[in-house]
Amino acid sequence: MSVTPDTADLFRHVSAEKSLLYRHIMDSFAAAKRQFRLHLRPDEVLEEGQWEGTPPRIDEIQMALAQLTDWGNLESQPDTARVSSINDFYRARFLYRFSRGGEAVESALAEFARTLRQRAELQTVALEDIANRLHTLQLLARASSLDVAKVHETLRDLVRVFESLAENAQAFMAGIGRSIELQHAEPGAILAYKNRLIDYLERFIGDLVVRSGTIAEHIITLSSEIDPLLWQVAQREARDAAPGDTFEHANAVTRAWQAWRERWKGLRRWFVSAGQEAPQAELLRSKARSAIPQLLSAISALNERRSGRSDRSSDFRMLAGWFAACASDAESHRLARAAFALNPARHYFADPARDKKAEDLPASTRWADAPTMQIHPRLREYGEATPRSALPRVKERNEERRLLAAQFREEHAQIEAARTQLANGKMTRLSELDILDRHAFELFLRLLGEALTAQATPDQAVELQSSDGLLRIHLAPLDASSYAEVRTPSGIFSGRDHVITITHSGEATP
């Protein structure tokens, strides 16, 4: 699949700054889809979301829904169900639902999470289910009147169980080589895992040996009768194909029949040998058996590592024997250089900027022929040149955090005070407004700007909800010759006079 900019945007909410909020919202839509609901409103998302800690505000939900719509994960349409007036009709209310791409991404993420959580297993119950389904298929094939619907249902169950068995067996065998991981584990955990794994494999191998023969007999018995059954099932599936001519219908039946024959061929190869090729069940049994020696070798390596303690005296005795076996002094010198790492290492200490001779000195130069080097006594005594000291203490930021929290609380209190001052629910002329402080004036300008942009003409009265959904504004212009001044600490705001009424959302406008 080629990734285009449009399809790439569908995954942006996973790594965005507010990814946790976006994922909770998408989970709400996934739950709604499982409940067969067509769409959700912002307040329904807020009420039904599984939030961690304090739920977000409704304005945060609305902005997140708009962002998800821009990325293509959701689709929106005007919400006219709650409209009670013309102004409500023109106000931005939306219903949201999964887009086609958003639903595909959500399904992929759910499958990704399920796969990571899933543990591969060898399913002995699946072997029993496969044998029972094949036996049922035999009885249906020998019945006097063929029940195609029952045959179709049995084949679907058989394929589902077999696919689960094959997938889990493949994943289990791919991850059975745990020798590297086991070598780094605790001895007690390794021994406990060894006992559980050996019991698990022995039980599965025993069931596989017993069930494989029965399953193979059922498959061989059905070999002469399976093609007509698959053809009848393919014809039944072709009923759901899109309408077309006779040739297209025949092609749909043929494609479905070939697909079922391919599934049956895979099932047969799992339990019945094809020529010189061993069945997959036999290979699975061999792989499961080989896992036990792999586990035992890992435990042996662990025991050797635990018991193989270093003995310097024995090492020196062995080295003395090697020296005694040398035929010449040259071989002895070569063994000494290899055993004691007597190789030039001037590049560890030489500073070409201060020692010009060390810059052109080859690494093969003998120590006796090389110029002397000054070594710090501490390096010779302690193995390091710089003295040890305590690590720098981590600087605490508690005071800065306290100041930031206090600043945030202060700003929040100022904004709430501005809303309380303006959203009093009273009809007020702009010329009658009291002196507004900086925060109240910023809120007033924002609300006035939203109301003025909603006017089709300068003489039109408008009523709308603020962009954050918290306030309702009703603005009615007065005579064109009217004049109003609003005094603020920053200056005087003047213009045409209006009657403005600001209320909290949910309150009735007088």
Side-chain angles (χ1 to χ4, degrees), residues 123-131 165 204 207-208 211 215 271:
Q123 299 172 322
T124 56
V125 177
L127 295 171
E128 182 181 358
D129 292 339
I130 290 174
L165 171 66
F204 175 77
D207 290 337
L208 185 62
R211 300 286 182 185
I215 294 174
F271 298 98

Side-chain angles (χ1 to χ4, degrees), residues 19-31:
S19 59
L20 188 60
L21 174 63
Y22 294 137
R23 288 305 308 148
H24 283 315
I25 292 176
M26 297 299 286
D27 289 341
S28 300
F29 280 92

Side-chain angles (χ1 to χ4, degrees), residues 329-433:
D329 290 343
E331 291 185 3
S332 299
H333 287 300
R334 182 180 179 185
L335 177 60
R337 286 196 300 270
F340 298 106
L342 299 178
N343 301 305
R346 298 177 63 86
H347 56 282
Y348 287 142
F349 310 104
D351 186 1
R354 297 193 309 174
D355 190 357
K356 297 301 182 182
K357 297 180 180 180
E359 184 176 2
D360 301 327
L361 194 65
S364 58
T365 304
R366 295 174 53 188
W367 287 10
D369 300 334
T372 59
M373 291 186 63
Q374 297 296 328
I375 303 297
H376 196 280
R378 185 178 182 85
L379 180 62
R380 188 182 300 276
E381 182 178 358
Y382 298 104
E384 58 183 5
T386 57
R388 294 182 180 180
S389 59
L391 295 175
R393 298 183 61 182
V394 178
K395 186 176 181 180
E396 295 184 357
R397 303 287 182 178
N398 295 334
E399 183 63 23
E400 289 80 354
R401 294 192 184 97
R402 188 189 63 78
L403 293 176
L404 287 176
Q407 183 180 0
F408 176 78
R409 289 193 299 268
E410 182 181 357
E411 292 179 355
H412 180 71
Q414 291 171 348
I415 294 174
E416 289 299 324
R419 288 177 179 169
T420 303
Q421 180 182 357
L422 294 176
N424 52 19
K426 299 179 181 179
M427 299 177 58
T428 308
R429 296 180 60 167
L430 299 184
S431 56
E432 298 174 352
L433 286 175

Side-chain angles (χ1 to χ4, degrees), residues 236-311:
R236 186 173 187 268
E237 284 187 348
R239 297 176 191 172
D240 295 333
D245 54 18
T246 306
F247 179 76
E248 292 177 353
H249 179 74
N251 283 340
V253 175
T254 303
R255 287 194 300 269
W257 181 57
Q258 291 175 350
W260 278 110
R261 290 193 66 189
E262 186 176 5
R263 298 186 188 109
W264 181 263
K265 183 179 179 180
L267 178 63
R268 181 184 177 90
R269 285 185 175 180
W270 247 78
F271 298 98
V272 180
S273 60
Q276 300 297 328
E277 184 180 358
Q280 293 294 323
E282 183 65 29
L283 298 178
L284 177 60
R285 184 171 60 182
S286 301
K287 186 70 174 178
R289 284 175 175 172
S290 65
I292 297 177
Q294 290 179 15
L295 180 63
L296 295 178
S297 63
I299 295 175
S300 299
L302 176 66
N303 290 332
E304 290 176 2
R305 189 173 67 246
R306 293 174 59 194
S307 60
R309 296 181 176 88
S310 176
D311 188 352

Side-chain angles (χ1 to χ4, degrees), residues 125-139 154 158 211 214-215 218:
V125 177
L127 295 171
E128 182 181 358
D129 292 339
I130 290 174
N132 292 337
R133 299 299 188 279
L134 290 173
H135 179 67
T136 304
L137 203 59
Q138 277 184 286
L139 298 179
T154 305
L158 178 63
R211 300 286 182 185
T214 305
I215 294 174
H218 289 324

Side-chain angles (χ1 to χ4, degrees), residues 311-326 335 339-340:
D311 188 352
R312 183 165 298 181
S313 60
S314 63
D315 292 342
F316 279 125
R317 286 194 297 269
M318 180 64 69
L319 185 60
W322 291 347
F323 274 110
C326 291
L335 177 60
F340 298 106

